[in-house]
Amino acid sequence: EMSEISERSKQNVAHGLAWSYYVGYLKIVLPRLKKSMEEFSRAHPNLLACSKTWKLHILFPLSCHVCDDLEKADSNIQYVTDLTETTLTKAGIKKRVYKHSLYAIRDEENQLWHCAVESASPLQTLYAMSQDECAAFSREERLEQAKLFYRTLEEILKGSKECADAYRLIAYEEPEEAETHFLSREILWHLRQEHHEEIAVLEGNHLHTPSTTLDSAELNLQISVSDQPQPLRTDGF
């Protein structure tokens, strides 16, 4: 009976996507990311001066509209290069390649901030399901699943020792009216936070700065953590 309820409410969709994304991708690439960033930093010491930014910054647009070309989405985001590739044999695929792209984010003062950034690809699945009649996936259900996907992945990663301090989840709601540099501002906020965190650690201080972007606390308010099925909410987000 609980299985049927879960199927009808599609609660298993986001949960399955989060675990698949973690086991099939993040658990493979994140433990190797620090080494790649360290190698790049040694070759280009001025680009990655802040070690706190040596993470994979994962974008979570809650609309599930994943942009394939970040440079086209925001002209303040510029592709720089790819980090060292990881090559593995997986599921019968010989020499499967995993790699990350390094970008330069231009701020209001024309200063460049460098980081590895990409979107959470399973969000494309959620969006495709909402466009396919066979999935019977409404826009409201897509929003709830996007939030649940974020929450589930966050909990998985928090318990992963291999991936500790190798990622930054950036969840955001896109503005109703198009803003030219909205995405770069979102990324910059997190890069600045990481920079301040490093300074605070070096100086022995504790940083208390409220977030201007969506965090897990806000997502907690929107998603029931009860084991019992709850009605979907679409308000206030």
Side-chain angles (χ1 to χ4, degrees):
E1 182 180 352
M2 289 302 298
S3 178
E4 290 180 1
I5 292 173
S6 179
E7 287 290 338
R8 287 197 299 269
S9 63
K10 302 181 178 66
Q11 292 175 353
N12 58 333
V13 175
H15 187 265
L17 285 176
W19 273 103
S20 177
Y21 187 46
Y22 168 69
V23 174
Y25 180 62
L26 296 181
K27 192 176 181 180
I28 296 171
V29 301
L30 290 183
R32 297 170 170 83
L33 182 67
K34 283 284 186 181
K35 183 179 179 180
S36 294
M37 299 293 276
E38 288 173 2
E39 291 174 354
F40 186 87
S41 180
R42 283 196 295 268
H44 307 85
N46 295 327
L47 298 188
L48 292 173
C50 176
S51 62
K52 274 288 186 178
T53 64
W54 296 1
K55 302 174 181 179
L56 181 60
H57 297 76
I58 306 174
L59 304 178
F60 278 81
L62 296 181
S63 66
C64 296
H65 287 284
V66 172
C67 181
D68 292 321
D69 193 333
L70 298 180
E71 292 179 294
K72 290 183 178 179
D74 191 323
S75 61
N76 278 348
I77 302 176
Q78 303 168 10
Y79 168 78
V80 177
T81 188
D82 291 330
L83 297 175
T84 305
E85 297 178 350
T86 295
T87 304
L88 301 171
T89 296
K90 297 288 292 183
I93 302 174
K94 295 288 186 179
K95 298 180 179 180
R96 184 168 182 175
V97 175
Y98 299 86
K99 66 178 182 179
H100 308 289
S101 296
L102 191 75
Y103 286 88
I105 316 298
R106 187 180 301 277
D107 66 15
E108 304 83 1
E109 299 177 354
N110 282 328
Q111 179 182 352
L112 296 179
W113 301 65
H114 295 81
C115 68
V117 59
E118 61 188 54
S119 296
S121 56
L123 292 175
Q124 292 177 310
T125 300
L126 290 177
Y127 185 80
M129 288 178 70
S130 70
Q131 303 298 305
D132 195 316
E133 292 182 1
C134 295
F137 212 56
S138 71
R139 181 179 178 277
E140 291 76 15
E141 287 171 322
R142 183 184 73 199
L143 176 60
E144 289 299 317
Q145 290 300 311
K147 292 184 285 185
L148 184 56
F149 170 57
Y150 176 94
R151 284 281 320 287
T152 304
L153 182 64
E154 182 184 46
E155 289 302 314
I156 294 171
L157 287 170
K158 281 182 178 178
S160 173
K161 294 181 180 179
E162 304 98 319
C163 301
D165 203 35
Y167 65 91
R168 182 101 174 188
L169 307 183
I170 305 177
Y172 57 90
E173 184 179 26
E174 295 165 302
E176 293 182 4
E177 296 184 6
E179 295 183 22
T180 307
H181 300 303
F182 169 79
L183 186 55
S184 60
R185 286 199 302 270
E186 289 292 315
I187 299 172
L188 281 168
W189 187 90
H190 286 268
L191 293 177
R192 285 169 173 146
Q193 283 295 102
E194 290 165 343
H195 181 72
H196 293 326
E197 287 167 8
E198 180 164 277
I199 293 175
V201 170
L202 292 174
E203 295 180 350
N205 298 323
H206 188 67
L207 188 68
H208 290 285
T209 306
S211 172
T212 58
T213 55
L214 302 176
D215 58 22
S216 58
E218 290 174 283
L219 293 172
N220 266 329
L221 297 176
Q222 300 297 324
I223 302 174
S224 171
V225 294
S226 170
D227 290 332
Q228 298 301 317
Q230 299 291 328
L232 296 174
R233 290 187 57 185
T234 57
D235 58 296
F237 205 86

